Amino acid sequence: MQVHPARIRSLAGPPPRSGSVVYWMSRDQRAADNWALLHAASLAGESGAPLVVVFALAPAYPGATRRQYAFMLAGLAETEAALRAHSIPLAVLTGEPGFTVPAFLHSVDAGVCVTDFDPLRVKRVWKAAVAVASPGALVEVDAHNVAPCFLASQKREYAAATLRPKIHRLLPEFLKPFPDLPTFPAANLDGFAPVDWRAAADFVQADPSVPPVTGIVPGSAAATQVLDDFLRDRLEGYAARRNDPNAGATSGLSPYFHFGQLAPQRAALATLEARSRAKEGADAFLEELVVRRELADNFCLYEPEYDSFEALPEWARKTLAAHAADSRPYLYDRETFAAATTHSALWNAAQRQLSREGRIHGYMRMYWAKKILEWSGSPREALETALFLNDRFALDGRDPNGVVGVLWSVGGLHDRPWANRPVYGQVRYMNERGCRRKFDVDAYVARYPEQAA
Ligand SMILES: Cc1cc2nc3c(=O)[nH]c(=O)nc-3n(C[C@H](O)[C@H](O)[C@H](O)COP(=O)(O)OP(=O)(O)OC[C@H]3O[C@@H](n4cnc5c(N)ncnc54)[C@H](O)[C@@H]3O)c2cc1C
């Protein structure tokens, strides 16, 4: 089965030559529903070459703690078992990926290395290093977006309104069912012992001060279960109830998408199947899952300084600069925010949800970030603090969605100017009174007392 050619682009080197086929798995850490793996399997199948999957474990990934590593490694162990059931080995390389991946490619005489698409800087740096040292071709497949990011648009989009029609135009061609992963001859496993996951966990130097969470079960099987439960029980009420943090109405799928344990396209296909009984919920969910999520990839792909103040729209930079000297009602440093010891019980509850559960409800995330703007010394400091805390504590952090969520809240990205007010300028404002109109604030606060239960 051929993968749509517009999902694939060459990063370096000559066209694929004979030799083994390697899939360097990075962002899309699953065996099923993975266009990059399917492309590698199809190249190997056509030429009769062996296929091996590698995962390059860096000693320290920027901002990742034990919480994220534990979730990722458990998911990868499950993926390894699923791959081996198809006689496809997984090798874990430990060290700097810019060195370990080319060395591995040479060791197996790789004719082609396929990798998955990721717009974030750290991955682009690794890929550039692999491209110059690879013995064969290096190709990238967008296995994360329904509409391939580099095809949907060739520029930084202004807002969801400008990307939406471009994505919708591509859906009939790309929102198609996945083929099954083929099974290889048993000999394809020869020479590859199962991964020693304990050794892999010992290798990473993850910050131990943020412990793993127990409430979100890692792995593709758990992800599928969460998706099924959401579609069965909550899709119908999603449009009406998703902004209520007490309602438990959202999918909870973002950690699985972040680590590629579930394909967003699988979720989109299953949502379409359920649409006849829950049209309003399905349409609202697909807008978030496809358009908003893919807008974040678009921003990070085309904005090299995506996590900086300079990346904000011009109107927002101007208005925030004009209000930089406004007096702040409260001023907190990063440590006070992290410890959830501000004056606001509501804000502290959101920060406690984040640090205890590894997630914050989407609506509270906006409020959380906007108050960091209001209570920090400058908009630049606020951006840095919000990105730091989000990446440190959230299981779905270090993701284009996190970058865009923070820049939207703190700096008006993909938004429009609103009425002028202190500190915010024309950046959209939120306050506790607005929250009280939308949901039971006291019930939310009561769920996250100062001392964890
Ligand atoms: C300050 C701030 C920080 C954020 N940080 C992150 C982050 O680190 N990682 C992350 O994945 N999302 C982030 N978001 C976006 C959004 O809040 C989460 O995707 C969502 O809350 C995840 O919960 P869910 O899977 O239950 O969402 P659902 O409501 O069930 O949505 C389904 C999926 O759609 C996508 N989605 C939903 N809302 C958005 C959105 N506003 N923008 C882009 N995609 C969206 C996500 O992939 C999500 O899993 C952030 C938003 C804000 C305002």
Side-chain angles (χ1 to χ4, degrees):
M1 141 83 198
Q2 293 282 322
V3 173
H4 196 305
R7 272 197 188 282
I8 306 165
R9 61 178 186 174
S10 168
L11 291 184
R17 61 170 180 82
S18 65
S20 56
V21 178
V22 173
Y23 166 35
W24 171 19
M25 174 183 278
S26 181
R27 189 187 198 190
D28 291 283
Q29 301 169 12
R30 62 187 178 276
D33 305 337
N34 182 334
W35 292 120
L37 174 58
L38 287 164
H39 181 53
S42 137
L43 291 175
E46 278 163 20
S47 61
L51 169 66
V52 52
V53 179
V54 295
F55 188 86
L57 197 55
Y61 190 91
T65 66
R66 256 189 66 212
R67 170 169 296 175
Q68 289 97 6
Y69 271 112
F71 192 87
M72 181 177 85
L73 292 175
L76 281 170
E78 188 184 319
T79 294
E80 183 198 20
L83 288 170
R84 287 186 84 88
H86 291 262
S87 300
I88 301 169
L90 173 73
V92 170
L93 313 177
T94 48
E96 281 306 324
F99 296 109
T100 58
V101 175
F104 182 83
L105 296 176
H106 281 281
S107 76
V108 297
D109 187 27
V112 56
C113 173
V114 178
T115 192
D116 40 49
F117 166 77
D118 192 327
L120 294 187
R121 204 173 295 127
V122 59
K123 301 291 188 70
R124 289 159 83 159
V125 169
W126 290 351
K127 284 177 191 173
V130 173
V132 293
S134 169
L138 177 65
V139 298
E140 185 180 57
V141 178
D142 190 345
H144 214 76
N145 293 296
V146 178
C149 189
F150 36 79
L151 178 72
S153 169
Q154 282 72 50
K155 62 174 177 47
R156 172 178 161 177
E157 291 293 334
Y158 183 72
T162 60
L163 183 63
R164 188 178 299 111
K166 297 181 181 179
I167 288 187
H168 278 269
R169 218 172 300 136
L170 292 174
L171 291 184
E173 208 176 332
F174 288 94
L175 188 47
K176 296 259 176 73
F178 289 97
D180 289 337
L181 179 65
T183 296
F184 283 71
N188 195 58
L189 287 171
D190 286 355
F192 291 97
V195 175
D196 180 344
W197 290 105
R198 188 176 292 262
D202 287 345
F203 168 76
V204 290
Q205 296 151 20
D207 177 349
S209 61
V210 182
V213 295
T214 50
I216 308 175
V217 181
S220 294
T224 305
Q225 188 65 54
V226 172
L227 173 65
D228 290 350
D229 292 351
F230 168 71
L231 293 177
R232 190 189 57 234
D233 302 334
R234 308 199 294 281
L235 184 65
E236 221 170 323
Y238 179 79
R241 304 176 69 208
R242 69 184 149 148
N243 281 339
D244 179 350
N246 298 317
T250 66
S251 71
L253 287 170
S254 58
Y256 302 110
F257 293 143
H258 171 70
F259 288 100
Q261 295 173 358
L262 180 71
Q265 183 161 341
R266 166 64 54 196
L269 289 165
T271 305
L272 278 182
E273 271 179 33
R275 188 170 178 266
S276 58
R277 61 167 174 81
K279 183 175 176 309
E280 209 189 334
D283 289 349
F285 185 64
L286 287 168
E287 164 72 11
E288 301 300 334
L289 173 70
V290 181
V291 177
R292 297 284 165 169
R293 199 182 45 72
E294 299 192 3
L295 178 64
D297 264 30
N298 166 278
F299 176 70
C300 293
L301 178 61
Y302 294 116
E303 175 50 66
E305 301 305 320
Y306 54 73
D307 46 2
S308 72
F309 183 81
E310 282 62 40
L312 297 178
E314 195 186 351
W315 69 263
R317 273 183 278 130
K318 276 191 179 152
T319 194
L320 287 169
H323 288 268
D326 291 0
S327 80
R328 269 73 178 149
Y330 302 92
L331 264 186
Y332 300 117
D333 57 16
R334 187 183 280 188
E335 289 65 37
T336 310
F337 284 121
T341 49
T342 75
H343 67 284
S344 159
L346 177 58
W347 194 94
N348 294 345
Q351 173 61 25
R352 285 191 201 115
Q353 179 176 24
L354 178 62
S355 60
R356 286 176 196 166
E357 296 182 355
R359 63 180 154 208
I360 325 184
H361 184 275
Y363 187 80
M364 284 310 299
R365 247 176 167 161
M366 296 189 251
Y367 175 81
W368 172 88
K370 284 183 179 292
K371 292 299 145 186
I372 294 178
L373 169 64
E374 196 174 325
W375 304 332
S376 291
S378 71
R380 280 172 201 273
E381 186 184 320
L383 263 189
E384 282 171 17
T385 301
L387 285 169
F388 173 83
L389 295 177
N390 193 62
D391 287 355
R392 181 169 171 75
F393 294 108
L395 260 187
D396 65 6
R398 294 153 303 102
D399 190 279
N401 274 356
V403 171
V404 167
V406 167
L407 268 65
W408 180 89
S409 307
V410 173
L413 177 68
H414 298 149
D415 203 0
R416 65 172 173 85
W418 293 72
N420 214 357
R421 47 183 316 128
V423 184
Y424 289 76
Q426 289 176 284
V427 171
R428 188 195 297 240
Y429 175 69
M430 278 174 83
N431 67 4
E432 185 169 328
R433 211 168 334 120
C435 293
R436 285 191 182 275
R437 277 197 300 272
K438 280 205 183 297
F439 65 95
D440 184 344
V441 163
D442 300 326
Y444 178 77
V445 169
R447 278 166 51 205
Y448 303 102
E450 205 171 324
Q451 297 302 323

